[in-house]
């Protein structure tokens, strides 16, 4: 923010996700041929080789800055927003209510930030605000069937985000341009969700695969 005062850039890292919990499991079902229960005959052959696996992940949100649109310190970089109210509180005046038709409302008071005075910095630290967290459950059910002594087949049903829980990104962060006027109607509103590395969305995905080993 200010090359003459590096303390203004003190704050949380862009990668500061405070809490992450991951549980993974593998369960070989105790049924079918070679197992403790229902191991004989046709039933044993049908139930053999079933396995259930999964990964459950829960984490808190990623940090972000609220950005203003004026270089109040003449440093070549626009200042961060200057907090004058509670962004999660009731709207502090007319025109401060976000439009819920534009997305998911995160900041309920769009007039909680304004421009810092000329010559001054923001009263917020770097990455003071955190976006929404998320949780995700991926799982698969597979069955391995031995066809001959040398050949076996594995049928897998896999689901990603099986409960279809949305993974929201951070809200719009462009704050005041003049007084309490908002530069973007999408300030404090979440308009997008996480995208997978292959370009698909984070919504539920299902797939099935068959592998024959010989």
């Amino acid at each position: 923010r200010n090359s003459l005062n590096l303390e203004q850039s003190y704050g949380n890292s862009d990668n500061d996700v405070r809490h992450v919990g991951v549980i993974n499991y593998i369960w070989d079902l105790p049924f079918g041929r070679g197992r403790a229960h229902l191991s004989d005959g046709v039933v044993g052959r049908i139930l053999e080789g079933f396995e259930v696996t999964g990964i459950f992940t829960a984490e808190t949100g990623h940090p972000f800055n609220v950005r203003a649109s004026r270089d109040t310190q003449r440093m070549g970089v626009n200042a961060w927003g200057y907090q004058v109210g509670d962004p999660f509180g009731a709207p502090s005046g007319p025109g401060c209510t976000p439009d819920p038709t534009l997305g998911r409302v995160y900041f309920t008071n769009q007039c909680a930030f304004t421009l810092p005075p000329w010559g001054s910095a923001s009263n917020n630290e770097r990455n003071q605000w955190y976006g929404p967290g998320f949780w995700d459950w991926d799982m698969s059910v597979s069955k391995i069937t031995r066809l001959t002594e040398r050949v076996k087949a594995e049928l897998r049903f896999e689901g990603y985000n099986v409960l279809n829980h949305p993974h929201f990104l951070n809200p719009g962060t462009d704050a005041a341009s003049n007084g309490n006027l908002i530069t973007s109607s999408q300030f404090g509103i979440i308009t997008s969700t996480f995208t997978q590395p292959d370009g698909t969305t984070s919504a539920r995905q299902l797939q099935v695969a068959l592998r024959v080993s010989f």
Side-chain angles (χ1 to χ4, degrees), residues 8-147:
Q8 290 182 14
S9 294
Y10 177 84
N12 299 315
S13 164
D14 291 339
N15 300 315
D16 182 34
V17 178
R18 293 295 176 94
H19 307 98
V20 178
V22 179
I23 299 173
N24 66 290
Y25 56 90
I26 300 175
W27 183 25
D28 289 323
L29 299 185
F31 307 107
R33 190 168 59 174
R35 302 297 172 88
H37 306 286
L38 303 176
S39 59
D40 299 326
V42 176
V43 174
R45 189 64 179 269
I46 293 174
L47 296 180
E48 76 167 315
F50 272 103
E51 181 182 81
V52 178
T53 63
I55 300 175
F56 177 82
T57 303
E59 65 178 51
T60 52
H62 287 74
F64 65 90
N65 295 308
V66 171
R67 303 185 182 277
S69 57
R70 181 184 295 167
D71 178 11
T72 57
Q73 299 185 90
R74 307 292 192 187
M75 285 291 162
V77 181
N78 286 344
W80 294 328
Y82 193 89
Q83 187 177 354
V84 293
D86 181 4
F88 299 105
S92 55
C96 299
T97 303
D99 184 355
T101 65
L102 298 178
R104 184 190 183 195
V105 174
Y106 194 69
F107 282 162
T108 53
N109 179 18
Q110 288 188 324
C111 298
F113 299 90
T114 184
L115 294 172
W118 283 109
S120 300
S122 170
N123 56 355
N124 283 175
E125 291 184 348
R126 167 187 167 89
N127 285 333
Q128 178 168 329
W129 306 99
Y130 283 80
F134 88 102
W135 53 268
D136 175 79
W137 183 28
D138 304 332
M139 67 171 297
S140 70
V141 178
S142 63
K143 174 177 168 53
I144 299 176
T145 302
R146 186 167 296 278
L147 303 178

Side-chain angles (χ1 to χ4, degrees), residues 142-176:
S142 63
K143 174 177 168 53
I144 299 176
T145 302
R146 186 167 296 278
L147 303 178
T148 68
E149 185 175 338
R150 297 181 54 189
V151 180
K152 63 180 180 180
E154 179 181 3
L155 181 64
R156 296 181 62 86
F157 296 91
E158 299 176 331
Y160 300 93
N161 191 10
V162 292
L163 298 182
N164 205 31
H165 189 266
H167 181 180
F168 292 110
L169 297 182
N170 286 342
T173 58
D174 293 327

